[in-house]
Amino acid sequence: MDPNLEYWQNNGKSFLSRLRLWFRLLDPSSLLASDAEIENARCLLRSDEKQQKNQKVHNAWTLSVSSVHSDSGAVIPPVFRPQAFLPIAVPLVVASFLPHKGVKPALFWHFILQSYCAGFNHANRNTTATQGNKTSVKQPLLIAGAVSYSTVVGALPQIILRRMRISNPVAQTFCRSVLPIPLSVFLAVFSVMVVRSEESENGIQIFDSNGNSVGVSKEAGSKAVKETAISRATLFGTTATVPTLLLYLLRRAKFVQRNPMIVAPVRHISTAIVLGLMIPVSFSLFPQLGKASYTRRIIKKHQVEKQLQALTEDGQLFYHRGL
């Protein structure tokens, strides 16, 4: 079993403990570590020295879990590591949520945002769904289709305003402030479901309580994708909702009515803050059972295929959920 899976097997047994772990793992300074440093950390964790409770081992776990894929053991590209999500996603999300005056700027920023989200979903998927833990031939087509569709749907409010020449203030407010909320939730779910669809179609590797591989389960793959989609919908849905509600309340204040220029900075800052807070929360969202944790989800034996039930006496089976 990969050292990262061993880590998640023994840590993060509650939501709060997972939240504390993710706040530490999301430290962007670890992005500066070289491949050689990451490999040295992995070598340390494969040795008997990993049993020691010292700062060196602690840092090695942090670097390994945040930088190396738990299925393939390959180093994740820096831009798609969990700790890179916040500094990259914040400007893209803020720019995408702007009330653009034209369609082209909206399409551009949604294309960049959806491309990054699709790449992040792909880089942090469960790779056991494909042969040799490698990208399949149809995966680029799935990513391209998801990005293209999400770009157009994301820019739909601006498209509606421009094509229909809407001048009614209420309708404009609805398109610019309310409509983006359900669209953000839908697109977050859509991207995960499409980019990681092979996990549901082909199945992913499952383990018994001792960490031994039992086989490949489509039921586990479907559950992993579904839970990740809910996690991502919570992240982007909350990020779209809270700043909108905040601005609605602020606009009723006399101070803001006298100084309308303050609305734009408040929108940008509140979006960045909410997104930053929701990233570790969404990563830690689902509770775990037994020794399972965020990335090693638990599944009841009767929920997997009958042919797999006969391969183990354990009442519970586990799988790597991805991120």
Side-chain angles (χ1 to χ4, degrees):
M1 179 186 293
D2 188 89
N4 287 1
L5 290 181
E6 294 181 10
Y7 178 86
W8 287 116
Q9 184 180 14
N10 300 316
N11 296 275
K13 297 179 181 180
S14 67
F15 172 78
L16 291 179
S17 63
R18 291 191 298 276
L19 188 61
R20 287 194 296 268
L21 288 173
W22 276 115
F23 269 114
R24 188 182 81 243
L25 294 172
L26 291 173
D27 179 8
S29 64
S30 60
L31 291 170
L32 301 176
S34 64
D35 288 352
E37 291 175 306
I38 296 174
E39 184 57 35
N40 289 336
R42 296 280 288 178
C43 291
L44 174 64
L45 299 178
R46 293 191 185 100
S47 66
D48 294 335
E49 192 177 346
K50 70 178 181 180
Q51 303 298 333
Q52 300 180 15
K53 304 294 183 180
N54 55 47
Q55 191 63 35
K56 183 179 180 181
V57 174
H58 178 80
N59 293 338
W61 279 119
T62 300
L63 189 58
S64 176
V65 174
S66 63
S67 305
V68 179
H69 198 285
S70 299
D71 292 324
S72 64
V75 176
I76 302 173
V79 294
F80 295 131
R81 294 176 192 171
Q83 61 270 39
F85 192 82
L86 176 61
I88 294 178
V90 162
L92 299 182
V93 171
V94 170
S96 298
F97 284 169
L98 287 175
H100 299 286
K101 295 182 179 180
V103 174
K104 290 183 179 180
L107 288 172
F108 172 78
W109 285 111
H110 277 285
F111 173 75
I112 300 298
L113 174 62
Q114 297 303 329
S115 296
Y116 178 71
C117 289
F120 184 86
N121 294 334
H122 174 70
N124 293 278
R125 71 196 189 285
N126 187 310
T127 62
T128 62
T130 53
Q131 187 175 8
N133 294 347
K134 297 180 179 180
T135 302
S136 66
V137 176
K138 74 173 184 177
Q139 191 65 54
L141 297 177
L142 292 173
I143 295 175
V147 171
S148 300
Y149 179 81
S150 299
T151 298
V152 176
V153 174
L156 194 60
Q158 283 72 31
I159 295 176
I160 293 175
L161 289 173
R162 281 293 177 178
R163 299 303 179 188
M164 300 183 66
R165 301 180 184 278
I166 296 176
S167 58
N168 184 283
V170 176
Q172 288 184 347
T173 300
F174 175 81
C175 289
R176 289 174 175 169
S177 300
V178 179
L179 187 57
I181 297 175
L183 287 181
S184 298
V185 174
F186 168 73
L187 293 178
V189 173
F190 177 79
S191 180
V192 173
M193 298 293 286
V194 173
V195 173
R196 296 182 54 174
S197 60
E198 289 184 311
E199 295 174 39
S200 302
E201 296 173 1
N202 303 334
I204 59 176
Q205 190 176 36
I206 58 176
F207 308 87
D208 60 20
S209 57
N210 296 319
N212 300 315
S213 177
V214 175
V216 175
S217 170
K218 294 182 181 180
E219 295 294 333
S222 297
K223 196 166 187 286
V225 174
K226 179 181 177 181
E227 290 174 344
T228 304
I230 294 174
S231 171
R232 210 73 87 237
T234 302
L235 169 62
F236 286 101
T238 305
T239 302
T241 302
V242 173
T244 299
L245 292 176
L246 178 62
L247 291 178
Y248 172 75
L249 296 175
L250 284 177
R251 286 193 174 102
R252 302 175 65 179
K254 293 183 179 179
F255 172 76
V256 177
Q257 292 175 359
R258 292 194 301 267
N259 302 275
M261 296 294 290
I262 199 175
V263 172
V266 170
R267 178 192 293 115
H268 306 336
I269 295 172
S270 61
T271 299
I273 292 175
V274 174
L275 179 64
L277 293 175
M278 284 304 300
I279 288 175
V281 171
S282 65
F283 286 178
S284 311
L285 188 59
F286 291 95
Q288 310 300 310
L289 300 176
K291 293 184 178 180
S293 67
Y294 177 76
T295 59
R296 200 163 179 261
R297 293 289 295 161
I298 192 170
I299 185 169
K300 298 296 184 181
K301 183 178 177 180
H302 71 270
Q303 293 177 303
V304 301
E305 292 81 345
K306 291 183 178 180
Q307 61 269 29
L308 294 177
Q309 296 180 24
L311 297 178
T312 179
E313 296 298 327
D314 284 357
Q316 295 174 335
L317 299 173
F318 303 85
Y319 61 91
H320 176 218
R321 193 177 79 106
L323 186 61

